[in-house]
Amino acid sequence: MDSTQKISHLALDIGGTLIKLVYFSANGDYSEESRNGCSVVHGKLCFAKFETRKIDDCLEFIRFNILHHSGVQHPNGAAHDKLYVKATGGGAFKFADLFKEKLGILFDKEDEMHSLVGGVNFLLKTVPREAFTYLDGQKEFVEIDHNDLYPYLLVNIGSGVSMIKVDGDGKYERISGTSLGGGTFLGLGKLLTKCKSFDELLELSHHGNNRVIDMLVGDIYGGTDYSKIGLSSTAIASSFGKAISDGKELEDYQPEDVARSLLRMISNNIGQIAYLNALRFGLKRIFFGGFFIRGLEYTMDTISVAVHFWSRGEAKAMFLRHEGFLGALGAFTSYNNQSHNDLKSHHHTVQRAILNCSGDNFRHIPVTSNLNDSETIECSINLV
Amino acid sequence: MVWYIIPKATGGGAFKFADLFKEKLGILFDKEDEMCSLVGGVNFLLKTVPREAFTYLDGQKKFVEIDHNDLYPYLLVNIGSGVSMIKVDGDGKYERISGTSLGGGTFLGLGKLLTKCKSFDELLELSHHGNNRVIDMLVGDIYGGTDYSKIGLSSTAIASSFGKAISDGKELEDYQPEDVARSLLRMISNNIGQIAYLNALRFGLKRIFFGGFFIRGLEYTMDTISVAVHFWSRGEAKAMFLRHEGFLGALGAFTSYNDQSLNDLKPHHHTVQRAILNCSGHNLRHIPVTSNLNESETIECSINLV
């Protein structure tokens, strides 16, 4: 590889709980000349994620799979050009020194909100069958009209939740958020059920019954609805409300039921705050990002009902296939900005992305494994 | 001949326990709608009892002078086991516009499971001594100590409630119950405050009255809710608390006796007139749930019998 081609073809989003990676994998060394004299490299956008608390795994992955192949020398070796890598999320600040020290990588920091929005806009405009609704047990892809994309509400459910009103390319405002997010679900879940991971907690919730611990309207009203205010007897009046008077200890409850009530509580709450903010700004479409949902139907159903029902059909909940990689993708597609003076005049534009879709099956991807080949995005990169 | 006493009763238990009261005490419930009673109770208190409502800002409790001609509209947020949010436009004119299932029951339910506490007051007492930064993931934890000032979040703002419990490598037993209780209280209070102000904004409501037995005069709770309301609404909305916060429904049911609701009721009816608040001064005391309001918390008044 030409030693002058120090291509940063990787972007990172380092959050409170997870590190998300997007990197470009070229199809061999083949590159072609395009019409305007640039070379175009064909390949795939690949995705990987790691737990932030196991950051060494991420460092090792980068060292072995990316730096090694691109021929970048180890800092302790011969002199070399610095490798600038786009990084977003809080960890772009928190771990900047660590990456510099261990891998010789300098972070070119991108704002978190900016990256999230950039990532969604990129996906919605470039990748077909990215967004879908989930209603009445049916998943349905949404055809995005590029001329009618804005405005929309982006709800990114990470450790915490950010809600961003998007009015155009690069035009956005973080209007709200909530601290009851994925981190709350997993944090409380670990304390209450001794589960070891997010996926284990989701698996538990699958088999649970929320009516064991949640206090329903019917429990207060003796079996009847409170129809006057539109609440059925099975509506939840108070999450975890039965734990007050049951005379049971934590150990007496099934972890499945605890997980189910927890998932319902967090999902419903996010859905409600999301629709209240959508109503506030007259937004009809709400896209949900982050690694909270993971294709789980109960979660998508809870959120969809909260949004559609309580907004009386005004607002619509939509989910994204690459939900957890919004920030990383946004950072990745920002490489065409000249952010460093000493960066050689290379820039990349991601063109003609073709999604190689694995069909209509949505697979829940466990956090320890990475999206496989069929989840990558075929694309080309212009080198100028 | 059997005489039945027919008291007013509201809340879900007016239905659920109607048979029990009839069987054990010979009492027949004259059921009043829960929302109607809550609203009736607040309106009665605000119009009749001086120094009922107060704000809590920057550590200062301040009674609010209620202008009877400028009472409506307002938002009532009743924090019971669950939460109801009611827009009140006039006497008997109201609409339940929202609610949340993350209420007092959630706080106590999760609190019992996580701390083995035995009561709401014990949980509140624990929270007094806790530090939420032990378990909550702050903005600074994610950003390496700095603020995220671009979006208005300081480094000490909570990014994710209970978020540190993911990666600490600790079990439940390794955490201080005080810290767990504190994080729980903050989480529930802040969430209610946020949903309350979002609904107030939605209908252009400037005043939010908080009822129910969740607050109990605890300054941390009032501060959290007040900040959530005042700060996030940019001063548009104001949070107010009530001295008789937990008795709104019962008071509303009580003051509804002037309705002729049963045909076989002798033509007695009661109106509550000239209520004078016998106030214990400016100290607001937190009343434990097992004891009752003492003499200084009662409301002197007169009843007309017709």
Side-chain angles (χ1 to χ4, degrees), chain A residues 90-91 94 111-113 159-160 174 176-177 179-180 183-184 187 190 219-221 226 229 237-240 244 269 272, chain B residues 12 16 33-35 81-82 96 98-99 101-102 105-106 109 112 141-143 148 151 159-162 166 191 194:
Chain A
K94 185 171 177 177
D111 174 72
E112 184 181 337
M113 301 297 126
S159 307
R174 184 187 187 272
S176 194
S179 69
L180 283 77
T184 312
K190 277 195 161 186
D219 293 319
I220 305 174
Y221 273 78
Y226 193 166
I229 57 173
S238 178
S239 295
F240 287 86
I244 298 174
N269 196 58
Q272 179 178 25
Chain B
K16 184 172 176 177
D33 174 71
E34 183 181 338
M35 301 298 127
S81 305
R96 184 187 187 273
S98 194
S101 69
L102 282 76
T106 311
K112 277 194 161 186
D141 293 319
I142 306 176
Y143 272 77
Y148 192 167
I151 58 174
S160 178
S161 296
F162 287 87
I166 297 174
N191 195 59
Q194 178 179 26

Side-chain angles (χ1 to χ4, degrees), chain A residues 14-17 51 53 89-91 93-95 111-114 158-162 172-188 190-192 194 196 213 215 218-222 224 226 228-229 231 236-241 243-245 248-251 253 258 262 265 268-269 272-273 275-277 279-280 310 312, chain B residues 11-17 33-36 80-84 94-110 112-114 116 118 135 137 140-146 148 150-151 153 158-173 175 180 184 187-188 190-191 194-195 197-199 201-202 232 234:
Chain A
I14 307 177
T17 307
E51 292 180 56
R53 65 181 173 145
F93 295 85
K94 185 171 177 177
F95 297 110
D111 174 72
E112 184 181 337
M113 301 297 126
H114 190 84
S159 307
V161 184
S162 281
Y172 60 88
E173 185 193 346
R174 184 187 187 272
I175 57 169
S176 194
T178 170
S179 69
L180 283 77
T184 312
F185 174 63
L186 184 53
L188 278 174
K190 277 195 161 186
L191 295 178
L192 291 167
K194 311 276 181 239
K196 297 274 182 293
I213 300 189
M215 185 188 285
D219 293 319
I220 305 174
Y221 273 78
T224 59
Y226 193 166
K228 195 170 173 205
I229 57 173
L231 297 178
I236 301 172
S238 178
S239 295
F240 287 86
I244 298 174
S245 50
K248 289 180 178 174
E249 305 259 319
L250 174 59
E251 297 69 38
Y253 288 103
V258 172
L262 208 46
M265 182 178 98
N268 210 48
N269 196 58
Q272 179 178 25
I273 296 174
Y275 100 80
L276 283 172
N277 278 289
L279 282 189
R280 190 175 162 196
W310 293 109
R312 293 183 194 159
Chain B
F15 295 84
K16 184 172 176 177
F17 296 109
D33 174 71
E34 183 181 338
M35 301 298 127
C36 184
S81 305
V83 184
S84 282
Y94 60 88
E95 186 193 346
R96 184 187 187 273
I97 57 168
S98 194
T100 170
S101 69
L102 282 76
T106 311
F107 174 63
L108 185 53
L110 277 174
K112 277 194 161 186
L113 294 178
L114 290 167
K116 311 275 182 240
K118 297 274 182 291
I135 300 190
M137 185 189 284
D141 293 319
I142 306 176
Y143 272 77
T146 59
Y148 192 167
K150 195 170 175 207
I151 58 174
L153 297 178
I158 302 172
S160 178
S161 296
F162 287 87
K164 280 210 184 68
I166 297 174
S167 50
D168 265 353
K170 288 180 180 174
E171 305 260 317
L172 175 59
E173 296 70 37
Y175 288 104
V180 172
L184 206 48
M187 181 178 97
I188 299 291
N190 210 49
N191 195 59
Q194 178 179 26
I195 295 174
Y197 101 80
L198 282 172
N199 277 290
L201 281 189
R202 191 174 160 197
W232 293 111
R234 293 185 194 159

